[in-house]
């Protein structure tokens, strides 16, 4: 019976400390701890809107709460109103409850007051930094980390951080940094690796990574000069090629850590199971099977969200551009191109689901072997992960460019000759079919995250990639640009959310007024 090595013991100690802290908190937190109650007039409508808005963004589920918090607190920073800041925590909790992110009566008044203090401190920090730094820097350095801080108060991420520490310590000794960097050992290597582990294993965004690094190195907002200097250094690391390289390495070797993280989240006694290989493998194998189910359900939900995203954005763009063009040029709507552009991308998205296959028993055995090696065998004395990346000649890149051009030209020729497409119809078609391809590719990465080793290549997959990858490459560029601009979400906020919140706010105030009148009678 193999005993836990130092990595496993350290991870077990972290989990044990987290469990003890939670038990102590449960014992000290009484039932009389006052909870914030929210009047839920209009909550169903608000929640429906938020669901549609999230679909229009197509963000990962684990990031939606942080995005919503960021969006809401931006309003407090835009209007520096002392009265609103004093009650900003209560207002924020109300907004999140109305939108369906939080259950009513689940957040204490003390937490809401603490959030108000954090927002006031953030506004003070913004006012201090805005004299010397740009608005985009203040967004990255102040508002986004503040949203991540508030999200961490509403959701416990302590076990996630324990997993990050486990993986960080493993990769710190396993990666041969000299071979990865060509003989260099940058001063920021450890911070870069820490960021790469969070990004690869947890899917963390820049804001939460920045926040965790500031906590790790003890950077506080009160020391303005040090705060700005540290965040400038983080900006440099984020833009570095080394971070991208390390993310690829951790991703490639990260499947076993993701399953270990899932097992620790679902098993309160996992710290005890870690002590021997015999007691570990049962819960770990159960976590593998549960991960397969969760990923399968996540892919199905992702397909549905992607279809809704494509329909919403296509409808808005069709109304804004395609239909007016047809009426202006032809005097009528061109129904065949409109129907193809509206229906084909969602149908294509659904067909892509048929090509996404879950891992088999061989992957399960490989995960068990990897976990046993990492947690129950002696730690390697020398780094062995080199991050070797195969280099191909320029001929392959040239063929790849020609392939992209050939696929687009061929599809365009078919649409022009058989569906009577014009340039605007082609442009919209390629934008949406490329976006659908990239969304499908991104969902396939969810399966890849729990697979060990290289992806299996079959004749069918090679043929699929021959047609599929050019659209994925273009779709990635479109998606990155869209995420920065996000015209659809901004339009929804302006033309739907603003009037809706105004009406709901009036109804809630009217309800309070009528309640007061009833009390007076």
């Amino acid at each position: 019976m193999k005993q836990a090595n130092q990595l496993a013991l350290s991870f077990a100690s972290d989990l044990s400390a987290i469990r003890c802290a939670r038990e102590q908190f449960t014992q000290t937190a009484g039932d009389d701890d006052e909870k914030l109650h929210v009047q839920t007039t209009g909550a169903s409508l608000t929640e429906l809107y938020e669901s549609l808005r999230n679909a229009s963004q197509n963000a990962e589920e684990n990031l939606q709460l942080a995005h919503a918090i960021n969006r809401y607190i931006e309003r407090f920073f835009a209007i520096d109103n002392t009265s609103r800041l004093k009650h900003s925590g209560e207002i924020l909790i109300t907004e999140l409850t109305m939108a369906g992110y939080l259950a009513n009566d689940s957040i204490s008044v003390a937490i809401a007051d603490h959030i108000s203090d954090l927002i006031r401190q953030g506004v003070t920090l913004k006012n201090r930094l805005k004299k010397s730094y740009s608005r985009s820097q203040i967004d990255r350095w102040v508002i986004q980390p503040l949203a991540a801080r508030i999200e961490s108060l509403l959701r416990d991420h302590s076990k996630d951080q324990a997993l990050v520490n486990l993986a960080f310590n493993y990769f710190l000794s396993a990666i041969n940094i000299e071979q990865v960097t060509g003989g260099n050992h940058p001063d920021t290597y450890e911070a870069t690796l820490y960021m790469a582990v969070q990004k690869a294993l947890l899917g963390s965004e820049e804001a939460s990574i920045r926040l965790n690094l500031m906590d790790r190195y003890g950077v506080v907002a009160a020391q303005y000069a040090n705060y700005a200097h540290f965040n400038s250094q983080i900006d440099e690391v984020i833009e570095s090629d080394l971070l991208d390289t390390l993310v690829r390495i951790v991703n490639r070797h990260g499947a076993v850590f993701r399953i270990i993280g899932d097992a620790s989240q679902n098993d309160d006694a996992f710290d005890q199971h870690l002590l021997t290989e015999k007691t570990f493998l049962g819960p770990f194998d159960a976590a593998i099977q549960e991960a397969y189910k969760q990923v399968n359900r996540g892919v199905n939900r992702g397909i549905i969200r992607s279809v809704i995203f494509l329909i919403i954005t296509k409808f808005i763009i069709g109304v804004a551009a395609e239909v007016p063009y047809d009426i202006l040029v032809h005097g009528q709507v061109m129904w065949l191109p409109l129907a193809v552009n509206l229906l084909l991308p969602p149908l294509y998205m659904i067909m892509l689901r048929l090509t996404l296959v879950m891992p088999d028993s061989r992957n399960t055995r490989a995960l068990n072997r990897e976990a046993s090696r990492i947690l129950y065998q002696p730690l390697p004395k020398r780094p062995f992960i080199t991050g070797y990346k195969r280099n191909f000649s320029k001929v392959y890149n040239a063929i790849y460019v020609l392939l992209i051009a050939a696929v687009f030209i061929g599809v365009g020729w078919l649409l022009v000759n058989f569906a009577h497409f014009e340039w605007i119809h082609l442009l919209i078609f390629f934008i949406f079919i490329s976006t659908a391809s990239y969304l499908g590719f991104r969902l396939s990465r969810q399966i890849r995250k729990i697979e060990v080793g290289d992806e299996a290549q079959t004749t069918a997959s090679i043929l699929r990639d021959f047609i599929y990858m050019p659209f994925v490459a273009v779709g990635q560029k479109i998606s990155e640009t869209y995420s920065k601009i996000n015209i659809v979400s901004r339009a929804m906020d302006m033309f739907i959310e603003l009037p809706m919140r105004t009406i709901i706010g009036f109804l809630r105030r009217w309800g309070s007024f009528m309640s007061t009148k009833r009390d007076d009678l």
Side-chain angles (χ1 to χ4, degrees):
M1 183 173 63
K2 295 181 180 178
Q3 301 296 314
N5 61 22
Q6 189 56 47
L7 275 177
L9 289 174
S10 179
F11 184 47
S13 177
D14 288 344
L15 293 179
S16 179
I18 292 169
R19 178 164 55 85
C20 291
R22 289 180 176 178
E23 291 174 354
Q24 185 177 7
F25 176 78
T26 302
Q27 292 172 0
T28 56
D31 294 334
D32 58 346
D33 189 15
E34 186 182 359
K35 303 295 184 182
L36 185 64
H37 180 75
V38 175
Q39 294 183 8
T40 55
T41 303
S44 298
L45 185 60
T46 304
E47 187 172 351
L48 175 61
Y49 168 77
E50 197 69 20
S51 299
L52 291 174
R53 194 186 190 284
N54 286 331
S56 73
Q57 288 184 306
N58 204 49
E60 298 292 340
E61 287 185 54
N62 64 309
L63 303 176
Q64 290 176 359
L65 176 58
H67 287 181
I69 294 171
N70 191 91
R71 192 169 88 246
Y72 292 146
I73 66 174
E74 281 181 343
R75 300 166 188 171
F76 297 117
F77 282 78
I79 304 175
D80 191 348
N81 183 293
T82 304
S83 177
R84 280 181 60 82
L85 288 177
K86 183 178 180 180
H87 301 285
S88 54
E90 180 180 344
I91 295 171
L92 177 62
I93 298 302
T94 299
E95 295 280 7
L96 294 173
T97 303
M98 293 284 289
Y101 292 106
L102 302 175
N104 206 351
D105 301 308
S106 64
I107 306 299
S108 68
V109 173
I111 292 292
D113 291 340
H114 182 47
I115 291 173
S116 297
D117 292 337
L118 290 175
I119 293 175
R120 285 199 298 269
Q121 293 169 15
V123 172
T124 301
L125 178 61
K126 179 207 73 171
N127 292 335
R128 187 66 180 263
L129 295 179
K130 71 179 183 180
K131 301 174 184 177
S132 305
Y133 300 97
S134 68
R135 180 177 177 179
S136 62
Q137 287 174 310
I138 290 174
D139 284 344
R140 293 196 308 273
W141 296 358
V142 181
I143 299 178
Q144 294 172 11
L146 175 59
R149 172 81 70 190
I150 294 171
E151 195 262 354
S152 69
L153 291 174
L154 303 177
R155 287 182 179 172
D156 185 9
H157 296 294
S158 53
K159 287 189 176 181
D160 288 337
Q161 290 309 306
L163 176 69
V164 168
N165 290 334
L166 168 69
F168 171 79
N169 291 324
Y170 169 77
F171 286 111
L172 189 61
S173 61
I175 294 177
N176 190 325
I177 183 58
E178 279 73 21
Q179 290 191 20
V180 169
T181 60
N184 298 323
H185 196 298
D187 294 336
T188 58
Y189 171 64
E190 290 195 9
T192 308
L193 177 60
Y194 189 78
M195 295 172 70
V197 169
Q198 288 190 85
K199 190 172 183 179
L201 296 187
L202 303 182
S204 298
E205 289 191 308
E206 177 186 321
S208 59
I209 294 173
R210 188 183 296 271
L211 173 66
N212 291 331
L213 277 173
M214 287 192 288
D215 288 344
R216 186 178 180 88
Y217 290 96
V219 177
V220 295
Q223 299 173 352
Y224 301 112
N226 183 51
Y227 185 93
H229 177 68
F230 186 81
N231 277 279
S232 297
Q233 290 181 312
I234 293 179
D235 286 347
E236 293 177 3
V237 173
I238 289 173
E239 296 297 325
S240 67
D241 293 335
L242 178 59
L243 177 61
D244 294 335
T245 300
L246 292 176
V247 168
R248 285 195 295 270
I249 293 173
V250 176
N251 253 329
R252 182 177 176 80
H253 299 271
V256 65
F257 290 100
R258 295 185 183 96
I259 304 298
I260 291 172
D262 290 343
S264 68
Q265 292 285 355
N266 299 325
D267 185 357
D268 289 336
F270 193 67
D271 56 326
Q272 298 300 313
H273 295 150
L274 277 165
L275 299 180
T276 66
E277 185 181 31
K278 183 178 180 180
T279 56
F280 165 80
L281 288 178
F284 183 73
D285 193 67
I288 293 175
Q289 301 308 317
E290 182 61 26
Y292 290 168
K293 295 177 183 177
Q294 291 290 344
V295 169
N296 190 53
R297 286 194 288 263
V299 169
N300 290 335
R301 288 196 302 270
I303 291 290
I304 294 171
R305 289 200 312 271
S306 298
V307 168
I308 294 173
F309 166 77
L310 291 168
I311 292 174
I312 291 174
T313 51
K314 176 61 185 74
F315 176 80
I316 292 176
I317 290 178
V319 171
E322 197 169 0
V323 171
Y325 173 86
D326 288 343
I327 294 175
L328 182 65
V329 174
H330 301 286
Q332 61 180 350
V333 176
M334 304 291 289
W335 291 108
L336 181 57
L338 182 63
V340 170
N341 279 342
L342 182 62
L343 298 176
L344 189 58
L347 292 175
Y348 171 69
M349 192 80 219
I350 294 171
M351 287 188 292
L352 283 178
R353 176 65 183 95
L354 302 177
T355 69
L356 304 179
V357 181
M358 296 302 298
D360 56 19
S361 58
R362 289 174 295 181
N363 188 70
T364 302
R365 292 192 293 270
L367 284 169
N368 277 288
R369 288 194 301 269
E370 276 289 283
S372 296
R373 179 184 64 79
I374 292 170
L375 299 176
Y376 300 99
Q377 292 184 12
L379 300 179
K381 296 181 179 180
R382 294 181 180 179
F384 60 92
I385 298 176
T386 62
Y388 173 72
K389 185 178 179 181
R390 285 172 290 184
N391 293 317
F392 297 95
S393 68
K394 294 182 179 179
V395 174
Y396 285 94
N397 288 322
I399 293 174
Y400 184 62
V401 172
L402 291 174
L403 170 63
I404 293 176
V407 169
F408 275 81
I409 291 172
V411 173
W413 182 85
L414 291 173
L415 291 173
V416 168
N417 285 275
F418 294 98
H420 309 295
F421 270 51
E422 296 187 7
W423 69 269
I424 191 168
H425 307 123
L426 284 175
L427 178 63
I428 292 173
F429 173 84
F430 284 130
I431 287 175
F432 279 91
I433 208 72
S434 298
T435 301
S437 297
Y438 177 65
L439 293 176
F441 173 79
R442 198 170 68 176
L443 290 173
S444 73
R445 296 298 89 186
Q446 297 300 316
I447 299 175
R448 179 62 184 148
K449 286 180 179 179
I450 55 174
E451 290 181 323
V452 177
D454 293 327
E455 291 182 86
Q457 291 291 331
T458 64
T459 303
S461 65
I462 293 174
L463 181 61
R464 178 201 65 188
D465 291 345
F466 182 82
I467 302 173
Y468 174 60
M469 288 307 294
F471 291 112
V472 171
V474 175
Q476 182 181 22
K477 298 297 182 183
I478 294 172
S479 181
E480 290 172 353
T481 303
Y482 175 82
S483 64
K484 296 177 182 178
I485 301 174
N486 209 348
I487 298 174
V488 173
S489 295
R490 294 179 186 275
M492 291 177 70
D493 289 345
M494 182 178 297
F495 298 112
I496 300 177
E497 183 183 29
L498 183 59
M500 181 187 70
R501 290 190 180 279
T502 302
I503 295 170
I504 291 175
F506 171 77
L507 292 175
R508 293 177 64 190
R509 289 192 296 273
W510 180 259
S512 298
F513 170 76
M514 292 302 295
S515 178
T516 302
K517 286 299 183 182
R518 284 194 299 269
D519 292 339
D520 291 340
L521 292 177

